[in-house]
Amino acid sequence: MNPSPSPYPAQSSAAHEVGGEPQAEFATAELALTSVHRSPYGSFVLIGRDSGGALLRALVPRQVVPRDPTVGEAWRLTGRRHLHAVYGLQLHTEIALPLMPTGQALVRYLATDRRFPGIGWATAARLWAQFGEAIYDIIRARDYTALATVIGRDKAFAIIDGFGLLADEVAIFQWLDRYGVSPRTAGAAASLWGAAARERIGADPYALALLEPWSDVDARGLRLGVSPADHRRLIAAVEEALSFRFRQGHMASSLPVVRRLVRRLAAPWRDHPDRAVEAAVASGRVVRIAGDLLQSRACRFMDQELGRLLEERLRSGARKVDQAAVAKSIGHIESEAGYRLSQRQREAVFMAASHPVGAITGGAGTGKTTVIKAVLAAVEAQRAILPPDRRKASEVVQVALAGRAAYRMAEATGREALTVARLLHQIEDGGRRLQRGLLIFDESSMLDAPSVYRLLSHLPIAIDLLFVGDSAQLPPIGPGPLFQAILGSRSIPRISLDVIHRQKDHTGIPGAGALIRNGKVPQFGAFNSAASLTPGVFFVPASTDEIASRTLDVFRAMCGPPPMAGQFHRLHSLDVQILTPTRNGPAGSKSLNLAVEAEYMARQERILDWGLSAGSKILWLKNDYKKAPRRNDDGGIQTDPVTGEPIYCGLMNGALGVIQSPHPDGAWAAFDDGVEDAITAADLEKLTYGWAMSVHKAQGSAFRRVIIPVSRSKLLDRAMLYTAITRATETAVLIGDYEAISDAIGRPPKVAGQGTGLTLNGLAGSQQAGDDEANLR
């Protein structure tokens, strides 16, 4: 990055010699920023003029600024001066705080800062010419009339209100800095509470537990003189215990679990933790439900709203449908599928077409996708008889939590499917409005309560809901097993599919999956490395120490030798995926990824010093809506006809891709959901290797061949194995201890232990009494 020529002459130096070694000089400067540049790694290069008018360049790590700086602002920067061979003298900043602008810096600030819409250079200069330094007294006195005589009423209000916000913000940053609060936390507090931040934190230092780790907040509170038995501390400890449980996937937690966590969090306080719980409940910040089940106020509100949004739809009752039209639609789908739908599949289609909320569940190969296609056809047949205005306002939207699941859904049905996150983005940021119709959730076992609540809160009651999924798969990574609650409700109609229809049943995968769902161990075949691509479910025995090496042996047998330079496409066409229960350890995804990358990419062209090559398999880790611009047939980027801004496909969390070739910005990558884009240095934190991935990440995906290293762990259960095996469409190979596999299949899945307070027509949330204290670190 080279934002400007060096502002310093070559002989400038900010270092002096001590014992022959240059020592950087510590300095503070107040800059009126003339330009702001973000580095590829998220830090900033700030260029501005100091109080003497000299140009200064500063390097500012992201973690030391309370918020992103903008051109025109004044900042106080403290750090060490270093002489750069190209840019000359520059400040390596360690402390950074925004300031109120002074003097003629006000002109630049008013003209360039986004706080002052409609104020340009000419208006700012006119104000300075009229009032000079007196303008600060006018702004502090909130004298709208004086400013309005020069620039008009609307602009006067914009300036005074904008300065008021800045003054409050600067005061908060400086006040929190004295107490050792990190700049980023100070910025978040100012954004969350505004001018009331000082009052709120002053009254309760533990309010910052929303923004900082408990250990930091508690240590600061005790250091400032808060008693270990202070009710503010005890209430915060209960909230932190519930927050920890929320991060572990629980919307609610039992009293015994909360007691244990509070006892640890509130040390050295030695009283009974029930006193802390009682104080938290009395404050209204914690709610006691269903006996000894506890919820934070936010989780309770979310569960109640979810229940209300579902039950409001249910109250409208079943509607009449044109049975002949639905039956005709089913006939079309049967002709396309090549087999007749079972009685339950047909019932599922009629149920979905006639009820405002419904659920369809079934194991691998039971025809859920075929039912979805029949439902889509039936709904279209129903729409055809609506009046034109209602027909136009009605639409069917398909969503799934994971990008790969949405892509598979679109492929199977021939209609657009979105991730929940993308639909939310379209609604919240893109202005999309759904009026009536049907929303189909696929892979519903993955749905967590907060994601669905956030989506439903934007949708009118006229949008019907259909949840489709496999109840035996892994529970959601996020909190709240929503699909389990829906299936357990007495008021939501549901159909369970149990007949395997998939034509590829010769692989044995649907049959093996059905046995595992019911707690029975399938008959695994012996893996033959000489016929490694044979369809079926196989087992390779291995001790704990052997699992990693045997996993790599199976991978080599399936994929063959490492490809020659530029010939990696065949390797990826084999579609072999390693799925692991864990990330760490010798058989975890981290070490297996490194091993495969080192061996199979050894002959491929390197991408800079990134540790990637042309042919590397990558896994995208964050939703990024500013990636993968849509392109026209001629390769040009499509733009929005109204705003002129590029239209992006976006890269979704969980997307698998392959590095195709070097690119001027880094590398060109193609992803399995059909999008392509350049990968830059700034993107490296958003991706990892994709040769091996967690079973959770793979849920909703499908691969031709799956390799599953299995070792004993607290994560291993029936749902984990079932989900992993049923990701394969042709071949699944388990590697490890047969007894560990057998024991895991024999035990009930852990999904029943996820805490929730969601109640649907009398269905109480499950209670979890497990002890997660060991995880609290």
Side-chain angles (χ1 to χ4, degrees):
M1 178 179 291
N2 188 3
S4 72
S6 169
Y8 299 100
Q11 67 269 23
S12 294
S13 175
H16 57 276
E17 298 289 332
V18 178
E21 295 292 332
Q23 299 294 312
E25 177 185 332
F26 205 74
T28 295
E30 294 185 2
L31 293 190
L33 303 184
T34 57
S35 62
V36 175
H37 308 270
R38 188 186 294 274
S39 80
Y41 301 99
S43 299
F44 297 92
V45 177
L46 305 183
I47 298 175
R49 296 196 178 274
D50 63 17
S51 56
L55 204 60
L56 180 65
R57 188 175 193 272
L59 307 182
V60 186
R62 180 174 179 81
Q63 63 268 25
V64 308
V65 290
R67 59 163 170 79
D68 294 355
T70 60
V71 171
E73 292 181 334
W75 282 70
R76 178 180 290 121
L77 307 175
T78 301
R80 297 186 181 276
R81 294 177 183 258
H82 291 267
L83 187 62
H84 191 277
V86 176
Y87 301 119
L89 200 63
Q90 54 187 12
L91 187 67
H92 289 230
T93 306
E94 298 175 18
I95 303 171
L97 286 173
L99 302 170
M100 294 289 290
T102 58
Q104 286 195 323
L106 176 69
V107 175
R108 174 178 293 277
Y109 179 58
L110 289 177
T112 57
D113 195 274
R114 292 171 296 182
R115 297 172 194 263
F116 309 106
I119 309 295
W121 286 97
T123 302
R126 193 159 67 249
L127 281 172
W128 184 259
Q130 177 72 25
F131 299 112
E133 295 281 354
I135 193 172
Y136 290 100
D137 294 331
I138 293 171
I139 290 173
R140 277 193 290 269
R142 304 184 70 82
D143 188 349
Y144 297 98
T145 304
L147 296 184
T149 59
V150 180
I151 59 174
R153 182 175 178 274
D154 290 344
K155 291 181 180 179
F157 274 102
I159 287 176
I160 289 179
D161 289 347
F163 260 92
L165 290 172
L166 176 65
D168 290 338
E169 186 181 73
V170 169
I172 292 165
F173 294 159
Q174 293 175 340
W175 182 71
L176 289 176
D177 182 60
R178 290 201 302 270
Y179 291 100
V181 177
S182 71
R184 279 286 152 183
T185 299
S191 176
L192 183 62
W193 296 310
R198 289 178 63 178
E199 180 180 350
R200 184 180 184 110
I201 298 167
D204 183 4
Y206 287 86
L208 284 172
L210 286 170
L211 306 171
E212 283 189 307
W214 168 262
S215 57
D216 294 347
V217 175
D218 191 39
R220 185 187 304 117
L222 294 174
R223 190 169 62 247
L224 293 175
V226 175
S227 165
D230 190 292
H231 74 283
R232 297 171 299 177
R233 182 173 185 262
L234 300 184
I235 293 171
V238 177
E239 289 185 307
E240 175 61 22
L242 291 173
S243 176
F244 170 75
R245 294 281 292 167
F246 179 84
R247 296 191 295 271
Q248 297 297 311
H250 303 275
M251 291 288 287
S253 294
S254 68
L255 181 57
V257 171
V258 174
R259 282 177 183 147
R260 286 191 285 272
L261 295 177
V262 168
R263 186 176 286 113
R264 179 170 179 176
L265 289 164
W269 180 67
R270 299 185 184 279
D271 205 341
H272 198 282
D274 278 358
R275 181 185 157 200
V277 171
E278 289 164 5
V281 171
S283 73
R285 286 156 60 175
V286 170
V287 181
R288 188 192 297 268
I289 59 173
D292 71 347
L293 205 60
L294 300 172
Q295 274 193 298
S296 68
R297 183 169 56 190
C299 286
R300 186 60 185 156
F301 172 80
M302 200 180 307
D303 274 343
Q304 288 179 322
E305 280 296 287
L306 261 177
R308 181 185 66 80
L309 291 168
L310 291 172
E311 289 175 1
E312 277 189 4
R313 288 172 166 82
L314 291 168
R315 277 197 290 271
S316 64
R319 63 181 69 88
K320 291 183 178 180
V321 298
D322 186 333
Q323 296 198 13
V326 174
K328 186 177 180 180
S329 301
I330 291 174
H332 286 312
I333 298 302
E334 288 177 331
S335 297
E336 183 181 303
Y339 63 84
R340 182 174 175 79
L341 269 63
S342 70
Q343 182 61 30
R344 285 197 178 183
Q345 285 179 303
R346 298 173 73 86
E347 290 173 0
V349 177
F350 276 97
M351 179 269 291
S354 59
H355 287 79
V357 183
I360 300 171
T361 185
T366 55
K368 296 188 297 296
T369 299
T370 302
V371 169
I372 291 176
K373 293 170 71 174
V375 168
L376 292 171
V379 171
E380 286 299 321
Q382 293 295 110
R383 287 180 70 239
I385 62 176
L386 291 174
D389 58 332
R390 292 188 63 190
R391 188 187 316 150
K392 184 177 180 181
S394 179
E395 56 184 316
V396 179
V397 182
Q398 303 182 109
V399 295
L401 199 64
R404 285 177 63 85
Y407 185 67
R408 284 183 62 208
M409 192 181 191
E411 273 192 322
T413 63
R415 296 167 180 262
E416 182 188 28
L418 308 168
T419 62
V420 172
R422 189 184 294 278
L423 180 58
L424 274 168
H425 179 68
Q426 291 180 355
I427 292 172
E428 294 177 343
D429 301 321
R432 181 172 183 177
R433 292 292 177 265
L434 301 179
Q435 299 178 47
R436 63 176 62 250
L438 174 64
L439 180 61
I440 301 176
F441 292 91
D442 196 18
E443 299 288 349
S444 292
S445 66
M446 300 173 67
L447 296 173
D448 60 86
S451 296
V452 177
Y453 161 72
R454 185 176 165 197
L455 180 55
L456 295 190
S457 65
H458 291 289
L459 302 180
I461 300 301
I463 298 290
D464 294 340
L465 308 173
L466 177 62
F467 297 88
V468 182
D470 186 344
S471 59
Q473 287 191 14
L474 288 169
I477 296 175
L482 179 66
F483 193 49
Q484 298 291 337
I486 288 171
L487 295 179
S489 169
R490 296 193 299 271
S491 57
I492 296 178
R494 63 190 183 279
I495 299 291
S496 180
L497 308 177
D498 57 3
V499 177
I500 294 175
H501 294 272
R502 189 173 292 168
Q503 291 177 333
K504 292 184 179 179
D505 191 26
H506 69 278
T507 65
I509 293 169
L515 288 171
I516 294 173
R517 285 177 110 251
N518 294 314
K520 298 176 181 178
V521 182
Q523 229 17 63
F524 300 120
F527 178 71
N528 181 0
S529 59
S532 59
L533 304 183
T534 302
V537 183
F538 304 99
F539 173 69
V540 176
S543 66
T544 302
D545 295 337
E546 296 172 332
I547 292 176
S549 62
R550 293 286 173 86
T551 298
L552 294 173
D553 288 342
V554 174
F555 187 89
R556 295 183 187 107
M558 287 184 165
C559 297
M564 300 297 290
Q567 299 181 16
F568 53 80
H569 297 288
R570 178 187 174 276
L571 169 64
H572 294 291
S573 70
L574 292 168
D575 198 17
V576 177
Q577 184 65 49
I578 302 172
L579 300 181
T580 69
T582 60
R583 182 174 184 271
N584 296 315
S589 60
K590 187 175 180 179
S591 61
L592 289 172
N593 268 321
L594 292 172
V596 174
E597 178 74 17
E599 181 174 342
Y600 274 78
M601 293 293 102
R603 300 172 181 172
Q604 307 306 315
E605 183 177 5
R606 296 284 186 266
I607 305 297
L608 302 174
D609 60 350
W610 292 358
L612 294 171
S613 304
S616 292
K617 192 173 188 178
I618 58 174
L619 175 66
W620 197 258
L621 301 174
K622 292 183 179 180
N623 291 338
D624 190 333
Y625 299 100
K626 294 295 186 180
K627 294 293 292 183
R630 292 184 183 175
R631 298 185 180 273
N632 302 313
D633 293 338
D634 61 1
I637 295 176
Q638 294 182 19
T639 57
D640 187 291
V642 177
T643 65
E645 294 292 320
I647 300 174
Y648 295 94
C649 297
L651 288 177
M652 298 295 103
N653 182 9
L656 280 169
V658 176
I659 300 295
Q660 300 294 313
S661 61
H663 183 278
D665 294 327
W668 190 260
F671 289 84
D672 57 4
D673 54 3
V675 303
E676 299 182 4
D677 200 7
I679 302 300
T680 68
D683 295 322
L684 294 180
E685 65 179 10
K686 305 171 191 172
L687 57 84
T688 187
Y689 294 121
W691 306 103
M693 64 192 298
S694 71
V695 180
H696 271 104
K697 283 285 187 187
Q699 191 162 342
S701 302
F703 310 93
R704 291 178 67 187
R705 302 169 180 100
V706 164
I707 304 171
I708 310 159
V710 180
S711 58
R712 291 187 182 274
S713 79
K714 62 182 181 180
L715 297 175
L716 184 65
D717 73 347
R718 181 192 302 172
M720 177 76 72
L721 292 173
Y722 171 79
T723 303
I725 288 173
T726 54
R727 296 314 89 205
T729 60
E730 294 182 15
T731 309
V733 182
L734 291 92
I735 302 166
D737 182 353
Y738 182 84
E739 286 189 8
I741 294 171
S742 179
D743 290 347
I745 293 173
R747 292 192 305 272
K750 296 175 183 175
V751 64
Q754 276 196 299
T756 176
L758 180 61
T759 301
L760 299 175
N761 194 31
L763 171 70
S766 64
Q767 298 187 33
Q768 160 69 5
D771 185 3
D772 280 313
E773 183 179 358
N775 294 325
L776 186 63
R777 290 184 172 89

